[in-house]
Amino acid sequence: MSGVADTLKHMSDALSGWGLWIALIGACLGTYFCRAIGVCLSQSINQDSEIFRWLAAVTYAMVAALTVRLIMMPLGLMATVPLWIRILICALAIAVMVSKLTKRLVLALLTGTLLMVGYGVIR
């Protein structure tokens, strides 16, 4: 066997049976440990600081970039929907969201989802 095949077989053996449960428990402990540290430090953090404004800007930019990528270069079933329909559904969902001054995010998400499902059913 080649080195890669040996490594994959070893990983497969390690993640079978109890190995999978140990990996899951380790991931949970690591996640909750980091969350506990965040809770403990949250009292001493200024949310209006420059670093948090920068983090918020980066977060919004990443969400926007991933959304554009999903619309322009989708994978899987979404790739079977023509680009103009994806853009039209996105524009309609945005129109619903900005139609009133109050926040309508849930209604906009529901609109986009139902239009995409409706297209799939009709097609």
Side-chain angles (χ1 to χ4, degrees), residues 59-79:
T59 302
Y60 285 124
M62 288 176 62
V63 169
L66 289 172
T67 302
V68 169
R69 187 199 179 285
L70 180 66
I71 293 167
M72 301 303 284
M73 298 179 294
L75 299 173
L77 285 176
M78 184 78 86

Side-chain angles (χ1 to χ4, degrees), residues 92-93 96-97 99 103-114:
L92 291 172
V96 167
M97 187 171 65
S99 66
K103 294 182 179 181
R104 304 188 116 196
L105 181 61
V106 173
L107 188 57
L109 290 172
L110 187 62
T111 299
T113 302
L114 290 178

Side-chain angles (χ1 to χ4, degrees), residues 1-82:
M1 286 187 153
S2 69
V4 173
D6 287 337
T7 303
L8 290 175
K9 181 172 180 356
H10 180 63
M11 286 175 57
S12 175
D13 291 341
L15 289 179
S16 63
W18 286 104
L20 188 59
W21 286 106
I22 292 170
L24 179 64
I25 290 169
C28 290
L29 288 175
T31 299
Y32 288 115
F33 178 72
C34 290
R35 287 182 181 206
I37 289 173
V39 168
C40 292
L41 296 176
S42 66
Q43 298 298 323
S44 62
I45 294 175
N46 180 11
Q47 293 180 359
D48 297 326
S49 68
E50 286 293 319
I51 190 146
F52 276 99
R53 288 195 294 181
W54 178 80
L55 284 172
V58 169
T59 302
Y60 285 124
M62 288 176 62
V63 169
L66 289 172
T67 302
V68 169
R69 187 199 179 285
L70 180 66
I71 293 167
M72 301 303 284
M73 298 179 294
L75 299 173
L77 285 176
M78 184 78 86
T80 63
V81 178

